[in-house]
Amino acid sequence: MAAEAGEGVRQLRVDRFFRQVPDFKRDGDGNVVWSSLKGPARLEAQEQFTREQFVAIEEAKMLRQAVRECYHREGVNHLENCKDIVKQYVEKISKPNFGMLKGPTFT
């Protein structure tokens, strides 16, 4: 559900949230310590982590589709008229895990 937010830039996040679940602890480098939770709390945290991964990947897909549509619509002027959406797409795919909210960090 992407809504137009201005000149060629799309708002991707929706104002709907799941209830708060316990989060995994992080080590000194910011990586997830998967064994930090046990039982139902671990299952809930894994499900939330997976949802966030899916959301981040789908946001990247939506941006890619927006770039494709813009290039097709603008034709020879795509370099000038699509630069904002392309910049947003490149920023998104350049981040680890496509910019997940609570994603693990990789070095």
Side-chain angles (χ1 to χ4, degrees):
M1 253 203 169
E4 293 297 326
E7 296 293 320
V9 179
R10 291 183 176 207
Q11 174 187 350
L12 296 176
R13 293 276 173 188
V14 187
D15 295 330
R16 179 178 170 207
F17 301 99
F18 291 94
R19 67 179 182 83
Q20 286 284 37
V21 297
D23 195 15
F24 291 105
K25 293 182 182 174
R26 308 285 174 142
D27 63 10
D29 296 330
N31 296 317
V32 173
V33 178
W34 295 103
S35 62
S36 63
L37 293 174
K38 303 287 184 214
R42 180 183 175 132
L43 181 61
E44 288 178 347
Q46 282 179 329
E47 288 174 351
Q48 177 66 28
F49 190 84
T50 303
R51 278 193 296 268
E52 290 176 6
Q53 277 184 320
F54 279 123
V55 167
I57 290 168
E58 287 302 317
E59 286 175 347
K61 286 181 183 179
M62 290 169 63
L63 282 171
R64 181 176 181 210
Q65 183 63 31
V67 169
R68 294 174 89 187
E69 290 171 2
C70 186
Y71 276 21
H72 181 72
R73 181 181 63 245
E74 298 298 333
V76 295
N77 297 324
H78 71 276
L79 292 176
E80 182 178 324
N81 297 339
C82 300
K83 64 183 173 186
D84 293 334
I85 194 83
V86 170
K87 181 181 177 190
Q88 191 179 5
Y89 174 63
V90 169
E91 287 174 359
K92 184 76 171 170
I93 64 171
S94 298
K95 295 177 184 174
N97 288 323
F98 301 108
M100 268 179 60
L101 292 178
K102 296 182 184 177
T105 56
F106 298 104
T107 54

